[in-house]
Amino acid sequence: MNRSRISARDLVDECVAALVVRPGRTCLTALGVVLGIGTFVSVVGLAATASGQIGERFDVLAATTVLASDGREDLGERFPIPPDADARARSLNGVRAAGSLWTVRQPGLGLEGAPTTDQPVTLDLMAVSAGAWEALQPRVVEGRTYDEVADAAGLHVAVLGSSAAVRLGISTLETRPAITIDDVPFTVVGVVDDVVRSPEVLLAVSIPRGTAEAIWGQPQPNAAATEVVSTDPGAATQVADELPYALSPEAPGSLRVTPPPDPRTLRDSVAGDLNTLFVVLALVCLLVGAVGIANTTLVAVLERTSEIGLRRALGATPHQVATQVMVESATLGGLGGLVGTSVGVVVVVTVSTVREWTAVMSPLLTFGAPGVGVLIGTLAGLYPALRAARIEPSQALRQ
Amino acid sequence: MNPEVPTVELVGVSLTYAGPPVVAALHDVDLRLRRNEYVAVVGPSGSGKSTLLNILGLLDRPTGGTFRLSGIDVSTLPEADRAALRGERIGFVFQSFHLLEHRTAVENLLVATLYRPTKVGRADRVARAEQVLTRVGMRERMYARPAQLSGGERQRVAIARALMNAPDLLLCDEPTGNLDSVNAAKVLALIDEVHQAGQTVVVITHDPVVAARAERRIAITDGSVTESG
Ligand SMILES: Nc1ncnc2c1ncn2[C@@H]1O[C@H](COP(=O)(O)OP(=O)(O)OP(=O)(O)O)[C@@H](O)[C@H]1O
Ligand SMILES: [Mg+2]
């Protein structure tokens, strides 16, 4: 015997007809899922975006920086960062640039800005080897930094951090401004205002290491001298292990090496915290949305009891009645999922734009989220569908 | 179809609602309806008329006895088969019309084609609906919603819906119960015409005038057929 069949096209038509009858209710019901999916997509998208930014900073900076400093007070008299430290460091595999720097602690050090001020200005004076400029990657506002020749020759040249220049009243290098340090004249050759490492140079006057040693001698142990090394990505840990032996083979222990943090640990912990907290929040929203759909669909079923009775009289099986209810709730969920996904994408893109981040969203999220809406709608429709299937047509038609 | 096979054959049919309280709505009903017979069912309120109609319309299963519809024993058929038979071979007309409020007249007719086992294209279904609406004199109002129609017009649309699938059996439960006498007369004339066109018709009624139009009257009291002829 032939069984009743309802075509997919008719099923969709009937579902649309039922949903557009009460547009306000349809929208409000879908709103729960819109909020849930919207939160879910924004949260997962923002977490991915944020951890993407953290990851990027690690890759370019922290993961490629190794610092070796002479901080070990208990160890000997010898200054552990020799004059050829930069060349020794550069001989290691994976090292891109290396340079040494320290603050010259000369009591009574004063600076006189020649052009505009007669009052001594107190600023830090730093010895910075020529190689260090490669590792620090400064943005040169004016002029240039000095090279190894100047360093080796002990030329009287200085590079100013931008704030140091302001304090000295130096606004241009066109007049070849000179400064005096302990009555020794220096020519200002460059002004820098941004470095990726060792930002203390921005507040100081930097002179070549060779020059500083010629005038003020080798630094004392504990002068807080540092060898700054920039490495290839992935090489930092290895370089950190080898660096003390390269710089100070007789007493490698006199150097305190700061290896990069393990990028994975930090990224995972940051991303992990964001994810669990907000995903829980999004799941709560989804649950609320599902309950909303279940509730509205159940009310709709009870309201349409006599209509369901009529459909049964016209040949519908309990199974077909249940299917129609499920298709309606799945459509509600799917609509909510689509709108919610769009809202979520807009949120992630807006936040990324404002914070100048690169939005990171997996296609799985943007294409999968509407599907999650359909799934939620389907689950929410299960109980109402069961109720609809159990309606006795003869009773329903008595009304 | 063999005209010798009765459209309806009830043998010792009873229906008891399990309750509580237990209600014996019908007991031991024997009934034969020939093809193209026009029968009125009369009886006091609560006597079991609607219950009988629900059994004839495959909406309820008898708790005892056998029911053959056009020769097919339907008492034991699975629900899916009964649903298919119901859609194909039985048309219902109710006192309260049971039209879908938000659909036009023609859309209400199309609902009757949704669940049919044999699929017909939408254009053909609409053409059939127009044809049936013409037959009941409602062609001009095919795009009107029930709220825009009078009671009599609604009932004519409901009759058209019942005729959409050319059923073997037209079951009407108080079809004029909600109508004034003028509209009732129109609806009854339409039912007469359906009968003349060859359909088997059962009409439940309180109204002796309505009952008088049928070829045969069946009286039910307290769940038993007391008079048949
Ligand atoms: N679901 C049910 N459970 C229990 N008893 C029921 C149920 N449905 C109907 N009955 C009872 O069965 C009996 C027959 O009801 P039925 O509806 O067939 O009467 P009727 O003759 O159509 O009455 P009316 O003229 O008022 O429509 C009544 O006593 C009614 O109360
Ligand atoms: Mg009744």
Side-chain angles (χ1 to χ4, degrees):
Chain A
M1 185 173 296
N2 286 330
R3 296 270 167 111
S4 300
R5 285 197 302 127
I6 179 166
S7 71
R9 162 89 199 274
D10 286 338
L11 203 54
V12 170
D13 285 353
E14 286 297 300
C15 162
V16 170
L19 292 180
V20 297
V21 162
R22 296 181 186 82
R25 184 198 281 189
T26 300
C27 292
L28 283 177
T29 308
L31 191 62
V33 175
V34 169
L35 290 178
I37 299 271
T39 313
F40 185 79
V41 169
S42 344
V43 158
V44 175
L46 284 177
T49 300
S51 71
Q53 315 312 309
I54 293 164
E56 228 167 72
R57 289 188 52 193
F58 267 110
D59 296 340
V60 298
L61 264 182
T64 58
T65 302
V66 178
L67 303 175
S69 32
D70 63 329
R72 309 289 294 264
E73 291 179 29
D74 49 323
L75 293 163
E77 294 296 296
R78 243 184 110 260
F79 180 61
I81 301 177
D84 60 346
D86 295 4
R88 293 191 193 202
R90 273 200 298 268
S91 70
L92 295 176
N93 271 339
V95 171
R96 282 189 175 171
S100 43
L101 48 90
W102 67 83
T103 304
V104 179
R105 289 183 194 173
Q106 186 66 26
L109 172 75
L111 296 169
E112 284 178 37
T116 57
T117 166
D118 299 328
Q119 285 296 98
V121 178
T122 310
L123 281 170
D124 277 344
L125 175 66
M126 294 194 71
V128 176
S129 70
W133 293 118
E134 280 173 54
L136 267 51
Q137 293 168 27
R139 197 168 81 82
V140 178
V141 186
E142 241 193 309
R144 55 188 169 77
T145 55
Y146 43 79
D147 58 15
E148 305 217 349
V149 178
D151 193 344
L155 294 186
H156 290 198
V157 291
V159 169
L160 302 180
S162 50
S163 21
V166 170
R167 290 190 57 195
L168 287 164
I170 295 173
S171 52
T172 174
L173 296 187
E174 277 168 23
T175 57
R176 314 215 90 226
I179 54 175
T180 58
I181 305 167
D182 277 2
D183 296 331
V184 182
F186 280 81
T187 306
V188 178
V189 295
V191 176
V192 298
D193 77 346
D194 202 5
V195 290
V196 299
R197 301 180 179 86
S198 307
E200 60 269 26
V201 301
L202 297 179
L203 300 165
V205 176
S206 302
I207 59 172
R209 172 179 175 160
T211 313
E213 279 176 339
I215 302 174
W216 289 283
Q218 279 240 328
Q220 297 301 303
N222 311 327
T226 305
E227 185 73 17
V228 181
V229 177
S230 98
T231 72
D232 290 334
T237 314
Q238 175 79 10
V239 169
D241 287 344
E242 294 171 358
L243 192 59
Y245 298 93
L247 297 182
S248 185
E250 306 85 3
S254 61
L255 283 164
R256 191 177 51 199
V257 175
T258 314
D262 187 341
R264 273 164 307 166
T265 332
L266 191 53
R267 192 187 305 178
D268 287 355
S269 71
V270 173
D273 287 351
L274 281 174
N275 282 337
T276 35
L277 181 67
F278 287 110
V279 166
V280 165
L281 187 72
L283 287 180
V284 170
C285 290
L286 283 184
L287 191 69
V288 171
V291 170
I293 290 186
N295 189 43
T296 310
T297 309
L298 184 59
V299 168
V301 163
L302 299 180
E303 273 178 0
R304 288 190 288 172
T305 300
S306 72
E307 175 184 331
I308 289 169
L310 174 80
R311 288 176 185 273
R312 294 287 304 279
L314 295 176
T317 61
H319 184 254
Q320 285 164 338
V321 166
T323 306
Q324 279 187 262
V325 172
M326 299 264 285
V327 168
E328 275 175 38
S329 64
T331 306
L332 274 175
L335 276 179
L338 270 180
V339 177
T341 306
S342 315
V343 169
V345 169
V346 168
V347 166
V348 171
V349 169
T350 306
V351 170
S352 301
T353 308
V354 169
R355 307 208 58 170
E356 299 189 340
W357 286 348
T358 311
V360 178
M361 293 189 87
S362 126
L364 191 70
L365 183 67
T366 42
F367 291 105
V372 172
V374 172
L375 184 72
I376 285 170
T378 309
L379 291 178
L382 278 176
Y383 177 66
L386 193 70
R387 285 290 296 265
R390 284 196 183 150
I391 287 174
E392 279 291 339
S394 60
Q395 301 305 313
L397 287 166
R398 275 178 197 274
Q399 297 172 1
Chain B
M1 198 181 296
N2 183 353
E4 298 304 309
V5 176
T7 306
V8 167
E9 193 173 17
L10 297 184
V11 180
V13 161
S14 38
L15 193 149
T16 305
Y17 289 106
V22 177
V23 179
L26 279 186
H27 50 88
D28 203 17
V29 171
D30 294 328
L31 183 63
R32 264 169 93 95
L33 302 184
R34 280 177 289 105
R35 227 165 89 75
N36 194 21
E37 215 172 351
Y38 184 178
V39 178
V41 179
V42 295
S45 184
S47 56
K49 304 183 295 295
S50 295
T51 306
L52 175 64
L53 192 96
N54 289 338
I55 288 176
L56 295 179
L58 306 179
L59 291 171
D60 276 338
R61 250 180 230 272
T63 47
T66 56
F67 172 17
R68 252 185 276 278
L69 177 69
S70 303
I72 305 166
D73 185 351
V74 292
S75 336
T76 54
L77 278 183
E79 178 51 34
D81 293 333
R82 285 167 58 94
L85 273 180
R86 195 157 61 222
E88 297 262 87
R89 306 217 179 171
I90 294 166
F92 293 90
V93 176
F94 305 95
Q95 179 174 353
S96 54
F97 322 128
H98 283 302
L99 294 173
L100 303 187
E101 284 304 314
H102 303 282
R103 309 288 183 90
T104 61
V106 64
E107 285 169 346
N108 266 284
L109 265 60
L110 292 177
V111 175
T113 65
L114 285 180
Y115 309 98
R116 298 201 57 180
T118 44
K119 285 298 144 197
V120 180
R122 190 177 164 87
D124 291 343
R125 286 189 271 163
V126 172
R128 165 77 184 160
E130 281 192 54
Q131 180 197 335
V132 180
L133 280 171
T134 308
R135 185 171 163 199
V136 302
M138 291 297 294
R139 169 70 178 71
E140 285 71 39
R141 308 302 309 278
M142 65 184 282
Y143 297 116
R145 289 171 204 281
Q148 300 164 321
L149 298 174
S150 75
E153 289 171 329
R154 287 184 220 182
Q155 196 61 299
R156 271 143 70 192
V157 171
I159 292 172
R161 178 182 61 196
L163 298 177
M164 263 303 272
N165 297 333
D168 295 351
L169 183 60
L170 183 69
L171 300 174
C172 312
D173 194 344
E174 305 274 10
T176 58
N178 279 350
L179 303 180
D180 59 52
S181 54
V182 177
N183 276 308
K186 283 187 190 168
V187 164
L188 289 174
L190 185 55
I191 292 174
D192 286 352
E193 194 195 310
V194 169
H195 166 239
Q196 268 142 36
Q199 236 107 19
T200 311
V201 178
V202 177
V203 176
I204 290 178
T205 184
H206 279 113
D207 187 343
V209 178
V210 176
R213 298 179 85 113
E215 297 171 337
R216 189 177 144 202
R217 272 149 298 279
I218 296 167
I220 298 187
T221 324
D222 286 339
S224 301
V225 172
T226 50
E227 222 181 289
S228 179

